[in-house]
């Protein structure tokens, strides 16, 4: 059986890449980028400097210690109080919120599969009411509605606000006056023991009250999970069902991180025509609020240190390279600050290992090292700026093996090798001055079709001369299955900063590899061509760091378990902050529904 675990093979291949590991290690990894602001070289008044480096993003003070409740009524009072405390703490936050939705249709062999999809991305202002500033504005009505829902006339509309609304049970009136709370039982969610309560709105307490179940952890009595809907519903509106999870990322608080929504019924006789699955992810809690007065001091003016002992002024060529480096650094920093790029971290080492494997076997010697970073969003895309290759979290999630990861990265490496990334307009800092939600309008790294074709051709050459040469079947099969879904998944395949991997319903990226790939065989249970979304990368919503998911493989028992590119429910293993495994495991049900997708727990690169 073909091994699906490319993380382990990445570790095995490390011996090939000792040189480049050194390059990767020269940067301190994973410090939150907000604390790394570089002051402009010109001297600043001390007050201004202090202000710009002030701990705007310091952790909120944990809630004061309180007497342990002894009755269930006291427990209710405590979690009502803790919920109000959470709402208050989050008032100063403007996290990123992403919703990806797949409308479903019934396939006789594969069960419900995506038919169309939608994507929303924005920053949410949690200060007064739930408000969103969308990065992608293609629907003028989306900001005007708070309810997720559809209007009359069978026209289905999805309001992303309807998804973000679900981060709290009830922002204003979560209390005994408006709700009945009924204790159900104790239950563990991951490592965390919880008290479970059913919550029903009192009669005549108003529209849109939470109706469902909550899980409350039994130390500080924070709500860690909400599952249900809102009721009663207003005329012409409809509330989605949701399963909302929180993570203990900072002392004393559990912050909303994932919301799964699902509607639809494919059982015999079911009449509803609405059927979808949606994942909402929230991250970037530690990002600075946009548009603050310290904006200018955030720009990294010069990160290039000339440390050669005899240097006077830069030679023309050296100046050119520094100029390009400056453009690259500006873009990477700006995207990180907008909450779109993960800080440099563990996952980058694995990506860089794969890049290094290709570089070394092809004798590629570049004047500046190639770096990698992870775009935090779901749509499948890669791009490169200068010598930095960026790959989206969604794409890393769905790639089945190391050779397909090499395929994705090799296209961008080819752009770099071919000198396609010499544009340096971003070295001018005025081009970094825009609001976060205008990022997509101000930055773009698309290539012309001729460069795309040249990069594809070069990338195939690089792969054929790499350790992945004998394993390109997996990459080709991945592209083939993507090709079968490309028409249904246009939102997932719409790149926002780089080039699309497809044109309409046809995958164009490195399509040469499809020719030699095996046939798609859904019934062949060990043929895993692509994974569900969320299967590999876990994202810390507080500091935006990414790591690989740790989860146990579960055997695939039918073609319906494969779920390539699909949305699945979340089932994170909850842990308390500060315990031995403090990092939240943000995997979802897909991990456990997929044989061989994830035994990466012990596959950390050794260096
Ligand atoms: Zn390209």
């Amino acid at each position: 059986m073909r091994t699906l675990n490319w993380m382990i093979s990445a570790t095995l291949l490390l011996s090939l890449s000792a040189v480049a590991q050194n390059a990767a290690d020269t940067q301190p990894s994973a410090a939150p980028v907000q604390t790394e602001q570089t002051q402009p070289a010109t001297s600043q008044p001390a007050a201004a400097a202090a202000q710009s480096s002030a701990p705007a993003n310091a952790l909120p003070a944990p809630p004061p210690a309180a007497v342990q409740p002894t009755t269930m009524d006291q427990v209710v009072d405590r979690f009502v109080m803790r919920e109000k405390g959470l709402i208050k703490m989050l008032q100063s936050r403007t996290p990123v919120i992403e919703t990806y939705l797949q409308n479903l249709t019934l396939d006789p062999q594969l069960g419900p599969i995506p038919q169309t999809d939608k994507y929303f991305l924005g920053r949410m202002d949690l200060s007064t009411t739930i408000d969103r500033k969308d990065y992608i504005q293609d629907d003028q009505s989306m900001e005007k509605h708070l309810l997720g829902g559809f209007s009359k006339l069978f026209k289905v509309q999805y309001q992303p606000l309807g998804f973000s609304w679900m981060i709290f049970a009830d922002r204003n009136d979560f209390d005994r006056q408006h709700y009945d709370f009924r204790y159900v039982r104790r239950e563990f969610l991951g490592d965390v023991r919880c008290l479970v309560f059913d919550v029903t709105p009192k009669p005549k307490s108003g529209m849109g009250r939470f109706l469902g179940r909550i899980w409350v952890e039994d130390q500080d009595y924070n709500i860690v999970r909400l599952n249900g809907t809102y009721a009663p519903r207003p005329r012409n509106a409809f509330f989605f069902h949701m399963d909302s999870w929180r993570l203990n990322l900072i002392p004393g608080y559990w912050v909303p991180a994932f919301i799964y929504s699902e509607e639809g019924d494919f059982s015999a006789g079911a009449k509803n025509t609405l059927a979808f699955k949606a994942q909402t992810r929230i991250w970037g809690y530690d990002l600075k609020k946009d548009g603050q007065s310290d904006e200018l001091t955030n720009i990294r003016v010069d990160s290039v240190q000339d440390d050669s002992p005899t240097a006077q002024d830069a030679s023309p060529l050296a100046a050119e390279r520094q100029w390009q480096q400056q453009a690259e650094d500006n873009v990477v920093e700006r995207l990180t600050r907008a909450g779109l790029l993960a800080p440099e971290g563990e996952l980058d080492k694995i990506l860089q290992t794969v890049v290094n494997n290709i570089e070394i076997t092809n004798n590629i010697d570049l004047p500046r090292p190639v770096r990698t970073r992870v775009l935090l969003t779901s749509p499948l895309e890669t791009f490169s700026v200068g010598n930095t290759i960026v790959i989206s979290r969604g794409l890393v999630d769905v790639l089945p093996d190391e050779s397909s990861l090499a395929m994705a990265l090799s296209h961008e490496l080819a752009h770099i090798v071919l000198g396609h990334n010499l544009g340096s307009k971003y070295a001018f800092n005025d081009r970094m001055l825009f609001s976060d939600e205008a990022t997509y309008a101000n930055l773009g790294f698309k290539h012309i079709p001729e460069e795309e074709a040249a990069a594809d051709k070069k990338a195939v050459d690089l792969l054929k001369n790499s350790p992945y040469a004998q394993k390109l079947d997996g990459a080709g099969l991945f592209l083939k299955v993507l090709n079968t879904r490309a028409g249904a998944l246009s939102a997932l395949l719409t790149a926002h900063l780089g080039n699309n991997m497809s044109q309409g319903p046809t995958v164009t990226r490195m399509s040469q590899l499809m020719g030699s790939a095996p046939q798609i065989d859904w019934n062949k249970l060990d043929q895993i061509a692509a994974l569900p979304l969320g299967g590999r990368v876990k994202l810390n919503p507080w500091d935006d760091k990414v790591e690989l998911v740790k989860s146990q493989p579960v055997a695939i028992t039918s073609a319906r378990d494969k779920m390539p590119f699909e949305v699945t429910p979340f089932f994170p293993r909850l842990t308390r902050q500060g315990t031995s495994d403090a990092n939240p495991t943000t995997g979802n049900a897909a991990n456990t529904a997929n044989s061989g997708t994830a035994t990466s727990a012990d596959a950390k690169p050794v260096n």
Side-chain angles (χ1 to χ4, degrees), residues 529-547:
L531 306 185
L533 285 165
R536 280 213 193 280
V537 183
K538 62 178 178 177
L539 160 62
N540 180 319
W542 192 266
D543 60 18
D544 293 354
K545 289 179 192 168
V546 289
E547 297 179 71

Side-chain angles (χ1 to χ4, degrees), residues 157-339:
Q157 294 174 322
Y158 300 107
Q159 309 296 351
L161 281 170
F163 296 100
S164 53
W165 158 279
M166 296 168 179
I167 65 171
F168 301 122
D170 187 325
R171 191 184 170 89
N172 299 317
D173 298 313
F174 191 67
D175 53 37
R176 288 179 188 279
Q177 287 72 52
H178 296 83
Y179 289 94
D180 289 317
F181 300 95
R182 189 180 68 84
Y183 172 71
V184 182
R185 62 167 177 266
R186 287 179 196 273
E187 187 178 309
F188 272 93
L189 291 180
D191 301 338
V192 178
R193 193 170 61 176
C194 297
L195 304 171
V196 184
F197 290 85
D198 279 340
V199 182
T200 47
K202 285 191 188 291
K204 301 200 174 95
S205 61
M207 294 289 182
R209 297 298 185 190
F210 177 72
L211 172 66
R213 179 165 285 192
I214 58 172
W215 284 254
V216 179
E217 48 89 17
D218 72 349
Q219 275 185 14
D220 299 318
Y221 301 94
N222 291 294
I223 297 174
V224 303
R225 182 186 181 192
L226 303 125
N227 176 299
T229 185
Y230 297 90
R233 63 185 179 93
R235 268 194 314 156
N236 304 334
F238 177 85
F239 292 105
F240 300 141
H241 288 84
M242 56 97 177
D243 189 25
S244 177
W245 292 81
R246 298 176 177 177
L247 299 176
N248 186 204
L249 303 174
I250 54 170
Y253 293 97
W254 289 71
V255 298
F258 312 106
I259 303 166
Y260 176 70
S261 315
E262 179 187 292
E263 297 293 338
D265 182 358
F266 288 106
S267 59
K271 280 184 180 164
N272 56 1
T273 52
L274 173 78
F276 74 82
K277 300 185 286 188
Q279 285 183 340
T280 297
R281 287 179 168 81
I282 304 157
W283 70 82
Y285 281 105
D286 204 27
L287 295 171
K288 275 187 192 300
K289 258 191 176 173
D290 195 34
Q292 290 182 336
S293 56
D294 59 357
E295 173 112 357
L296 279 166
T297 58
N298 276 347
I299 303 296
R300 190 172 190 161
V301 173
D302 183 6
S303 63
V304 180
Q305 285 249 322
D306 187 351
D307 51 4
S308 64
T310 58
Q312 298 295 317
D313 294 321
S315 72
L317 179 59
E320 175 64 26
R321 285 185 182 152
Q322 284 191 20
W323 187 241
Q324 286 162 10
Q325 182 76 53
Q326 185 170 305
E328 183 179 332
D329 290 345
N330 276 350
V331 168
V332 166
E333 176 131 340
R334 187 66 189 86
L335 285 173
T336 309
R337 197 153 53 84

Side-chain angles (χ1 to χ4, degrees), residues 411-412 415 447 452 455 499 509:
H411 175 89
E412 299 302 334
H415 278 307
H447 290 280
E452 282 299 285
N499 286 87
R509 176 71 53 88

Side-chain angles (χ1 to χ4, degrees), residues 2 4 400 477 525-531 556 562 594-595 597:
R2 197 161 58 84
L4 300 165
L477 196 58
L525 296 186
D526 64 346
Q527 186 192 70
I528 309 293
L531 306 185
I556 284 186
K562 292 187 177 180
N594 229 300
S595 147
T597 63

Side-chain angles (χ1 to χ4, degrees), residues 8 14 37 41 283 311 319 370 388 398 441 457 531 577:
I8 284 176
L14 270 176
Q37 295 153 22
W283 70 82
V370 175
T388 297
V398 297
K457 186 168 180 296
L531 306 185
Q577 210 244 355

